[in-house]
Amino acid sequence: NILREKRLGSNNNNYEVGGSLLLPEYIDAAIGTKNSLRPNDSVTLYNMNLFIQRHSQLSGLFFQLLTSQYSNERLKLSKELLNFLKTVDDDLQTFTGPYLCGEQFTLADICLYPIMERIAVVLPSYRDFWIPPSLSHLLCWYAAVSVRPSVRVATADRSDESMKTYCFERRNRREYLIEVYECHSRNEDRVFRDLNDTRGSAGYNIYREYVDEELRDRRICEAKSCQKCVIS
C-alpha cells in the first residue's frame, strides 16, 4: 500500500518538505532503468536534484496566494510568486533544450509541471494572476511539456469512471481544476467536505449550489442596501 501525502496543519498552507518528490520517485523506480527519468551522468543528475530542491517552495506559494482572503496579503504573495517564477525562467536558460536539464525529460520537469499547470489555470480565475509573456523560457518549457504523450494522457479530460466516482461536475480539464480549487480560493475546504460528505453524490457538487445561493443572497442584499447582511 502507498501512503498518501498529507498537508500540514490547517493554519499552514505549505506541504511537507520534499513531499512532492515522493510519488515521481516511486514512478521512476517502478518503470525501471529502460525509461528512467533520472539522468545517467552525475553532473546532470546533480542539476536535476538541485532544480527540484530549488523549486520545492512553489506549491506553498501557490496555496498561500489561493487561500488568502486579504487583498494586501494577496498583493505581497503575488509579487513573491512572480519573483519565484522569474527564478525558474532563469534556470531554464541554463541549458539548451526544451526541458530543465536540457534535452532529457527528467523528474525535475515532472515535479514542476503539475503546480505550474495549477498556477496557469487556477490563479487567473481566482486571483487575477497570470504568467507574464516576458517569462518566455518558462512558457516555452510549459508548452513543450504539455504536448508530451504521457502528459497529455495525465491532463486529459475526465473519464466516465471519474465522472461516476467523484462529486465534481466538470469534465473539461481546465474547468475541472477551476471547480476543484474553488473552495480553497474561498478558504472553505471544510465546508466543501461537510456538504459533499452528507449531501453530495457522484457528478453532483453541492458546494457549487451553496456558493450560487450565497452570491444570490449577496446581490439581493446589495440591491436593497441592507447594511446588516451586505458582505464586504
Side-chain angles (χ1 to χ4, degrees):
N1 294 329
I2 300 177
L3 297 175
R4 295 185 63 183
E5 299 174 46
K6 296 180 179 179
R7 287 180 64 177
L8 299 176
S10 59
N11 292 327
N12 190 329
N13 290 316
N14 290 312
Y15 279 84
E16 293 174 336
V17 176
S20 61
L21 179 58
L22 296 178
L23 187 56
E25 282 194 333
Y26 162 76
I27 294 172
D28 184 57
I31 65 177
T33 58
K34 182 179 179 180
N35 299 304
S36 178
L37 297 166
R38 293 176 175 275
N40 293 323
D41 65 287
S42 58
V43 173
T44 309
L45 179 62
Y46 170 83
N47 290 332
M48 181 197 77
N49 288 326
L50 180 62
F51 287 145
I52 291 172
Q53 182 183 51
R54 183 179 295 175
H55 304 152
S56 62
Q57 299 176 33
L58 195 57
S59 60
L61 278 174
F62 164 77
F63 274 99
Q64 288 178 57
L65 177 55
L66 181 65
T67 59
S68 175
Q69 304 301 301
Y70 305 102
S71 57
N72 289 341
E73 185 179 49
R74 288 179 189 175
L75 180 60
K76 175 179 175 292
L77 290 168
S78 294
K79 291 179 179 178
E80 289 183 15
L81 179 56
L82 179 59
N83 288 333
F84 203 99
L85 294 180
K86 289 179 180 178
T87 299
V88 179
D89 190 75
D90 290 340
D91 287 341
L92 284 161
Q93 300 179 51
T94 305
F95 303 104
T96 301
Y99 308 118
L100 271 167
C101 294
E103 296 183 358
Q104 183 177 359
F105 183 69
T106 70
L107 287 175
D109 302 292
I110 289 180
C111 289
L112 184 60
Y113 184 84
I115 195 63
M116 285 302 309
E117 182 191 21
R118 283 149 180 78
I119 290 172
V121 173
V122 176
L123 290 186
S125 295
Y126 295 122
R127 294 296 178 262
D128 291 327
F129 183 95
W130 286 267
I131 301 174
S134 58
L135 302 184
S136 56
H137 293 86
L138 176 57
L139 293 173
C140 287
W141 167 85
Y142 185 77
V145 175
S146 296
V147 297
R148 288 186 62 87
S150 58
V151 175
R152 294 184 68 177
V153 170
T155 59
D157 292 345
R158 296 172 65 200
S159 64
D160 290 339
E161 182 179 2
S162 175
M163 297 293 292
K164 294 176 182 178
T165 303
Y166 302 104
C167 67
F168 300 106
E169 300 172 0
R170 302 296 185 179
R171 183 183 290 270
N172 174 270
R173 172 71 176 183
R174 292 180 63 89
E175 294 175 355
Y176 163 68
L177 287 178
I178 291 170
E179 181 184 4
V180 166
Y181 285 96
E182 181 177 25
C183 64
H184 298 287
S185 72
R186 298 165 60 89
N187 213 8
E188 292 181 339
D189 46 323
R190 180 169 294 181
V191 175
F192 169 86
R193 289 196 302 270
D194 290 344
L195 285 171
N196 280 296
D197 284 348
T198 56
R199 298 162 57 194
S201 60
Y204 174 50
N205 181 5
I206 195 169
Y207 177 77
R208 282 263 70 254
E209 186 176 308
Y210 164 84
V211 172
D212 289 341
E213 288 178 356
E214 183 179 291
L215 293 176
R216 184 173 63 249
D217 290 344
R218 181 202 298 255
R219 286 193 292 268
I220 292 173
C221 287
E222 289 176 344
K224 294 181 178 180
S225 299
C226 178
Q227 298 303 315
K228 292 183 179 181
C229 56
V230 169
I231 304 172
S232 59

